[in-house]
Amino acid sequence: MAIFKHFTYIIFVLIPMYAFAEQAALSDSTISPEWATYGNGLHNQRHSQLKDINAENVHKMKLAWKYRTGKVGTFQTSPLVVDDIMYFSTPFNDVVALDAFNGNELWRYQHELTRTKTCCGPANRGVAIAGNKVYQATIDGRLIALDKENGKVVWETVIKDSSLNIQKNLSSLQTTDLTDEFSTAKMVGGTGHSFNMAPQVFDGMVFVGSTGAGYGLHLDTDKGLVVIDGGDDQTGLRGFIAAFDQGTGEELWRWYSVPGEEWIGDWVEATSAGVDLNRNIALEKADADTFKSNWKLGGGSIWTTPAIDEETGLMFFGTGNPSPNMESSTRPGDNLNTCSIVALDASTGKLKWAFQQVPHDRWGYDVASPVVLIEVLHNGEKVKAVGQAGKTGWFYILNRETGELLYKSEPFVPQSNLFANPTEEGVKIYPAIDGGSNWSPVAVDPNKNDVFIAGVHLPTTYFKKILPSTPTSPWKSYTYFEMDYKSKYGLLSSIDLDTGKVNWQHKTQNPLIGGVLHTAGDLVFSGEGSGEFFALDAKSGEKRWSAKTAYGVNAPPVSYQAKGKQFVVVAAGGNKLQGYPVGDEVLVYALPEN
């Protein structure tokens, strides 16, 4: 069977327009001028082999063309380019196909939302392409296959449970239950399955993961976000990843992040790297029986596109925080397998291993940045590994087969009071809920074995308040935080994957949210919320080029070749949650003809 799969793969690469048009997208080993998958290969390395634009001539690069979508909102898409055609999604899930050379619109799918209230905003991180179909998972809970030639719907699957929206009714609560300090608080957001990731396609299957499972109840106050613990009646869901038949949309299997009552785990007192978690294990154990059913609402969203090892058939991804987010008194135990890097058998959805970065998370340290498959030199031998840029500020490197932590890098952002307990007086912690590294994908130079990480420095003070016991409120406590925006900045870091040492860092005005591209021209591209799009020398970190855009550059750049010419493209539409200017532009850059 394995020999047959390799044979069909070779045929697909050599003859893409014929009998094997439904086969999965290209692997990292394939030399291609295109950008055919979210991470430019199933390993998620976001490395382009193109080098016509390089560190010596990038200063000449100019805007070649731009396209305005008409959909203003947080814009996080990562465009794909296949056969000189660019495909991308917009906020609210339209899909557009353009001539990749000149930007002329070829077709547009206009999505009609079945529900307008979603947990996680309008953002969508991209599409997947395989054979003659374009796949998109939507914020209103659908997986849609479009005809690649004309954008017409081929099939559509409503993902079970996607319409579920559990929210606690506050009408029975007296304002005194929340104390005068929060008497005017309003409930915002909500729990409900949504889908933000770009799908992944492999071996005849389309994979998507659900978001919105890890929040619990949110209140909006002048002091910032408040997360309230609701006892057995707390709000929440279980996150999952599911596989669907590439041809029909039929669901084939589903894996839930939270396994069941066994999510309690081993009551660990420190992380796998040996850092103290400051847990009150005795109190947690005393509460275990009272809250034993809360795994049913335990969270664990899956935000970002998985990586796949074609040889072993294993799929790797990160999971989100447990629910309620940050407030942990009604979820005693380790809360397996939230805040984890997970390996599944892609054909069956069976768990191979799970590495929990932060057991019993109370800070919002979900595994947000996509995992990447790499090889590292460990104890003198090359080891196939999984890497991930954590919100904690370390790049984690695990054995791909076993999930064993090989080592973590030097910190790529400042660290202080990591894993400290929230207090009534407040404790300043960094990195905090925004990271570290947030959802931004990393990029890898596979030749020099360096990884490039978009980092966040945003000190945050966590407060915990104890609620009085009343007949109308089961809640025991709540947590809220205040961000120190005056001290914020971003760091783009280069790290040696064989040693974990930081090679260089480039500081930016704003925390970096969006992602990184590396090219064989020894360039690293990224952007920031101020609207600057820039290129750095991959060897030294020196800035070689920059352009000013009208909106925040908070999406991952991509490079491709069309009609023999290299281009660099990025979505510039900002990020409303971060306060960066939102817009609707797709910007494409190239060297001038003369």
Side-chain angles (χ1 to χ4, degrees):
M1 180 62 70
I3 295 174
F4 176 76
K5 285 185 178 179
H6 286 299
F7 176 73
T8 57
Y9 172 73
I10 293 170
I11 296 293
F12 168 68
V13 172
L14 295 177
I15 319 174
M17 298 300 292
Y18 296 96
F20 294 91
E22 289 293 316
Q23 184 65 21
L26 306 180
S27 73
D28 290 82
S29 61
T30 305
I31 298 175
S32 173
E34 302 178 332
W35 192 286
T37 66
Y38 181 78
N40 201 24
L42 297 176
H43 293 185
N44 275 350
Q45 291 188 355
R46 301 196 74 84
H47 164 76
S48 171
Q49 297 157 334
L50 301 176
K51 55 185 177 181
D52 288 347
I53 301 172
N54 55 58
E56 301 304 317
N57 63 20
V58 69
H59 66 279
K60 301 177 182 178
M61 196 167 71
K62 304 290 185 182
L63 183 69
W65 55 266
K66 70 178 179 179
Y67 176 87
R68 302 200 69 167
T69 70
K71 294 284 188 178
V72 176
T74 298
F75 203 6
Q76 298 177 347
T77 194
S78 181
L80 303 186
V81 178
V82 176
D83 296 330
D84 287 358
I85 299 176
M86 179 185 297
Y87 305 85
F88 62 89
S89 58
T90 75
F92 305 104
N93 297 118
D94 283 7
V95 178
V96 181
L98 305 177
D99 184 312
F101 186 79
N102 57 30
N104 290 338
E105 184 177 307
L106 302 177
W107 57 255
R108 179 167 182 153
Y109 161 77
Q110 294 185 326
H111 187 65
E112 294 184 8
L113 291 170
T114 56
R115 53 186 169 94
T116 56
K117 188 172 184 179
T118 63
C119 75
C120 313
N124 179 274
R125 291 173 183 161
V127 299
I129 297 174
N132 62 354
K133 296 184 183 70
V134 179
Y135 300 93
Q136 180 186 213
T138 69
I139 59 174
D140 58 343
R142 289 180 276 171
L143 177 61
I144 297 173
L146 305 176
D147 189 306
K148 193 174 71 170
E149 300 303 316
N150 55 34
K152 303 295 185 183
V153 176
V154 178
W155 54 254
E156 176 180 313
T157 297
V158 177
I159 303 176
K160 188 174 65 174
D161 296 332
S162 63
S163 62
L164 188 60
N165 191 14
I166 303 172
Q167 294 196 19
K168 191 169 182 66
N169 187 351
L170 291 181
S171 61
S172 64
L173 292 178
Q174 304 297 320
T175 56
T176 53
D177 293 336
L178 297 178
T179 75
D180 291 340
E181 191 173 13
F182 296 106
S183 61
T184 60
K186 298 182 299 181
M187 186 172 70
V188 298
T191 301
H193 286 313
S194 185
F195 299 87
N196 296 83
M197 70 156 60
Q200 188 68 280
V201 182
F202 173 70
D203 200 22
M205 292 175 284
V206 185
F207 305 99
V208 296
S210 72
T211 57
Y215 283 103
L217 184 65
H218 287 187
L219 297 184
D220 188 17
T221 77
D222 59 1
K223 291 187 175 294
L225 183 66
V226 178
V227 181
I228 296 217
D229 175 337
D232 254 357
D233 295 324
Q234 71 189 42
T235 59
L237 296 170
R238 284 197 297 163
F240 62 85
I241 191 166
F244 299 84
D245 184 277
Q246 184 177 321
T248 67
E250 176 189 1
E251 184 171 328
L252 302 175
W253 58 254
R254 180 181 298 206
W255 179 85
Y256 284 96
S257 303
V258 175
E261 287 189 12
E262 62 268 31
W263 86 318
I264 283 179
D266 298 323
W267 307 99
V268 298
E269 298 188 18
T271 69
S272 296
V275 184
D276 191 356
L277 289 164
N278 298 302
R279 290 172 66 178
N280 187 336
I281 299 295
L283 179 60
E284 287 183 46
K285 287 184 176 180
D287 286 339
D289 190 60
T290 301
F291 302 112
K292 64 182 180 181
S293 66
N294 281 13
W295 63 270
K296 297 176 182 178
L297 306 170
S301 295
I302 297 168
W303 290 93
T304 48
T305 303
I308 295 177
D309 185 329
E310 309 96 315
E311 293 182 1
T312 64
L314 291 180
M315 176 170 56
F316 306 86
F317 55 90
T319 63
N321 50 262
S323 176
N325 185 11
M326 299 186 301
E327 178 49 56
S328 65
S329 57
T330 59
R331 48 177 175 83
D334 300 342
N335 307 142
L336 302 178
N337 292 301
T338 62
C339 298
S340 297
I341 300 173
V342 174
L344 301 183
D345 184 321
S347 63
T348 64
K350 300 297 183 183
L351 180 67
K352 174 73 171 180
W353 54 256
F355 171 83
Q356 193 169 33
Q357 283 185 11
V358 185
H360 194 70
D361 173 57
R362 285 159 286 166
W363 306 273
Y365 289 142
D366 51 313
V367 179
S369 178
V371 299
V372 60
L373 301 189
I374 51 180
E375 291 190 3
V376 297
L377 190 64
H378 183 63
N379 293 332
E381 296 183 358
K382 278 287 185 182
V383 179
K384 292 185 176 182
V386 179
Q388 199 274 332
K391 277 192 172 182
T392 57
W394 291 297
F395 189 81
Y396 295 83
I397 299 174
L398 314 179
N399 183 296
R400 200 183 302 178
E401 175 65 22
T402 66
E404 172 194 3
L405 178 65
L406 300 178
Y407 49 90
K408 55 184 176 61
S409 72
E410 293 180 336
F412 56 82
V413 292
Q415 294 173 323
S416 178
N417 287 330
L418 205 61
F419 308 126
N421 284 314
T423 66
E424 292 192 66
E425 298 77 20
V427 56
K428 183 172 287 190
I429 299 173
Y430 51 87
I433 188 169
D434 272 4
S437 186
N438 207 288
W439 67 269
S440 310
V442 303
V444 171
D445 180 344
N447 299 312
K448 298 182 178 63
N449 223 26
D450 294 330
V451 64
F452 305 94
I453 303 169
V456 174
H457 178 65
L458 182 53
T460 301
T461 301
Y462 288 75
F463 298 88
K464 183 161 187 168
K465 297 289 185 180
I466 306 300
L467 280 170
S469 178
T470 71
T472 57
S473 175
W475 301 325
K476 297 168 63 176
S477 59
Y478 51 82
T479 303
Y480 67 95
F481 57 82
E482 296 176 351
M483 294 180 173
D484 181 7
Y485 291 106
K486 293 181 180 179
S487 301
K488 68 179 181 179
Y489 57 82
L491 285 170
L492 201 160
S493 302
S494 169
I495 292 179
D496 186 319
L497 286 170
D498 292 322
T499 66
K501 303 292 185 182
V502 174
N503 296 319
W504 54 256
Q505 292 188 304
H506 170 75
K507 188 175 181 180
T508 61
Q509 175 185 350
N510 293 297
L512 292 173
I513 304 288
V516 188
L517 161 70
H518 176 266
T519 73
D522 281 328
L523 291 171
V524 176
F525 291 88
S526 192
E528 63 160 312
S530 67
E532 184 188 22
F533 184 39
F534 59 86
L536 307 180
D537 188 310
K539 296 177 182 177
S540 66
E542 295 180 11
K543 187 185 292 186
R544 298 295 189 188
W545 171 88
S546 70
K548 180 65 177 176
T549 69
Y551 311 108
V553 181
N554 301 116
V558 163
S559 189
Y560 65 92
Q561 191 178 80
K563 297 182 180 180
K565 185 179 182 67
Q566 185 182 356
F567 296 88
V568 178
V569 56
V570 70
N575 187 301
K576 184 175 181 180
L577 183 63
Q578 301 294 331
Y580 301 145
V582 295
D584 65 344
E585 293 186 337
V586 175
L587 304 174
V588 180
Y589 297 87
L591 295 174
E593 292 296 333
N594 297 315

